[in-house]
Amino acid sequence: MREHGGNLDQAQERFGGRAEDWIDLSTGINRLPYPVGEVSARAWSALPSRAEIEALHQAAQHAYRTSAPIVALGGAQAAIQLLPQLAPPGRARILAPTYNEYVGVLSAAGWDVHEAGELDALAGADLAVVVNPNNPDGRTHAPKDLLALLPRVGRLVVDESFADAVPLSLAPEAGRPGLLVLRSFGKFYGLAGLRLGSALGDAADVAKLAAASGPWPVSGAAIAIGCRALHDDAWAEATSARLARDCVRLDGMARAQGWTLVGGTPLFRLYETPDARAAQENLAHGHVWSRVFAREPTWLRLGLPGSEAEWTRLAEALAR
């Protein structure tokens, strides 16, 4: 498996404890998840109907403020796995450093994959990938700049997995030919285990992805919970406001350690430290797990704690 956050089993092997003893801040998943509420017995026992799947699509269109064609999938990762099926292998250019699954998936499918450091360097690609906001540094690109790139590439994939609390989405423009927007449900709504995401694009691309994903791409429980959450504008607004406040709080705690903010999103922060692995190990002794990067030995990424008890435990771990 490629390097990712969420590798809590490795933390347990090295530092002990049960999974429930840990605060996993190695991911960008909201630690105060959407309140699921009751899920009907039918959602667990019956195959999802086309009408139910379409209701989920409509809920996602509502949340993402778009009328573009959409297909629900088992997380944004499921959409990434299907990208090679949209066209024969060609030249893929990925704005980097970024989420490492794109290089692996496209290379395995026979694409000529190269990483680029600037938007202009993506021009001429058959498939260009931009993660916006970027993971792990939170770098963002204005929608107008991405739309200006669109005619210069064969297909532009914009991964908006961390865009829920950031006003830069291209979802309203996703009906344009050649533009494909990926969204994650689990990160902002804090329900990554539900495995729900979506791809928005023109009718032809969405039809290909829908055909490749099969007749039941998401579970009945994911449909029920997703419909409820994606229509809950009040929860989304309040959560975005809370995350903004919590970013300021976490940045202040990091500054007190002498760490420098490199970047981030409302769901995670990236800090420059003297020695990221030493910082990770220090936090791990307090059963707080963080993310480090082999290619950047001074970078430490932290998600945001949820409850006040988690904030207290993080403060205690930092004070060790």
Side-chain angles (χ1 to χ4, degrees), residues 159-296:
D159 183 333
E160 295 185 347
S161 290
F162 289 99
D164 293 75
V166 184
L168 49 64
S169 178
L170 275 179
E173 307 290 339
R176 298 186 183 212
L179 176 61
L180 188 69
V181 176
L182 309 185
R183 297 293 297 234
S184 168
F185 173 86
K187 294 178 178 64
F188 179 70
Y189 291 92
L191 299 170
L194 201 63
R195 305 312 304 135
L196 179 59
S198 55
L200 304 91
D202 68 20
D205 279 353
V206 168
K208 287 181 182 179
L209 292 174
S213 66
W216 303 289
V218 293
S219 70
I223 292 171
I225 296 168
C227 283
R228 190 178 303 161
L230 289 164
H231 277 298
D232 196 339
D233 298 336
W235 184 90
E237 183 177 347
T239 296
S240 295
R242 173 184 61 81
L243 291 171
R245 295 192 299 271
D246 286 351
C247 284
V248 175
R249 182 177 183 180
L250 185 58
D251 290 346
M253 294 170 71
R255 279 195 304 273
Q257 298 295 312
W259 301 347
T260 302
L261 181 68
V262 175
T265 74
L267 287 168
F268 66 80
R269 315 301 283 167
L270 182 67
Y271 301 109
E272 180 88 20
T273 72
D275 183 337
R277 291 200 178 275
Q280 182 186 54
E281 183 167 337
N282 179 65
L283 290 169
H285 285 298
H287 285 168
V288 176
W289 194 229
S290 55
R291 174 89 188 270
V292 295
F293 303 87
R295 290 167 57 171
E296 298 288 349

Side-chain angles (χ1 to χ4, degrees), residues 5-296:
N7 53 340
L8 195 57
D9 51 350
Q10 296 179 24
Q12 291 175 255
E13 288 175 8
R14 291 176 57 192
F15 301 99
R18 304 163 300 168
E20 54 266 33
D21 297 328
W22 285 80
I23 301 172
D24 188 0
L25 302 184
S26 68
T27 74
I29 298 168
N30 183 359
R31 297 285 299 177
L32 292 177
Y34 185 80
V36 169
E38 291 188 9
V39 179
S40 71
R42 186 185 183 285
W44 296 108
S45 62
L47 287 171
S49 68
R50 294 310 308 170
E52 288 166 336
I53 295 173
E54 183 54 34
L56 176 60
H57 291 163
Q58 292 173 4
Q61 288 172 324
H62 167 83
Y64 305 143
R65 308 295 190 264
T66 184
S67 59
I70 187 169
V71 57
L73 298 163
Q77 182 63 45
I80 296 171
Q81 299 295 141
L82 295 175
L83 287 180
Q85 300 193 36
L86 289 176
R91 295 168 299 171
R93 302 293 180 265
I94 299 168
L95 193 64
T98 194
Y99 184 56
N100 58 26
E101 286 291 330
Y102 284 100
V103 170
V105 167
L106 292 167
S107 296
W111 286 73
D112 172 29
V113 182
H114 290 277
E115 296 182 326
E118 300 296 335
L119 276 182
D120 283 346
L122 302 178
D126 299 303
L127 175 64
V129 177
V130 179
V131 180
N132 193 42
N134 191 44
N135 175 14
D137 59 13
R139 176 171 53 163
T140 60
H141 300 277
K144 65 179 180 61
D145 294 332
L146 295 174
L147 290 176
L149 176 65
L150 183 59
R152 304 166 68 195
V153 299
R155 179 177 282 105
L156 175 61
V157 175
V158 181
D159 183 333
E160 295 185 347
S161 290
F162 289 99
D164 293 75
V166 184
L168 49 64
S169 178
L170 275 179
E173 307 290 339
R176 298 186 183 212
L179 176 61
L180 188 69
V181 176
L182 309 185
R183 297 293 297 234
S184 168
F185 173 86
K187 294 178 178 64
F188 179 70
Y189 291 92
L191 299 170
L194 201 63
R195 305 312 304 135
L196 179 59
S198 55
L200 304 91
D202 68 20
D205 279 353
V206 168
K208 287 181 182 179
L209 292 174
S213 66
W216 303 289
V218 293
S219 70
I223 292 171
I225 296 168
C227 283
R228 190 178 303 161
L230 289 164
H231 277 298
D232 196 339
D233 298 336
W235 184 90
E237 183 177 347
T239 296
S240 295
R242 173 184 61 81
L243 291 171
R245 295 192 299 271
D246 286 351
C247 284
V248 175
R249 182 177 183 180
L250 185 58
D251 290 346
M253 294 170 71
R255 279 195 304 273
Q257 298 295 312
W259 301 347
T260 302
L261 181 68
V262 175
T265 74
L267 287 168
F268 66 80
R269 315 301 283 167
L270 182 67
Y271 301 109
E272 180 88 20
T273 72
D275 183 337
R277 291 200 178 275
Q280 182 186 54
E281 183 167 337
N282 179 65
L283 290 169
H285 285 298
H287 285 168
V288 176
W289 194 229
S290 55
R291 174 89 188 270
V292 295
F293 303 87
R295 290 167 57 171
E296 298 288 349

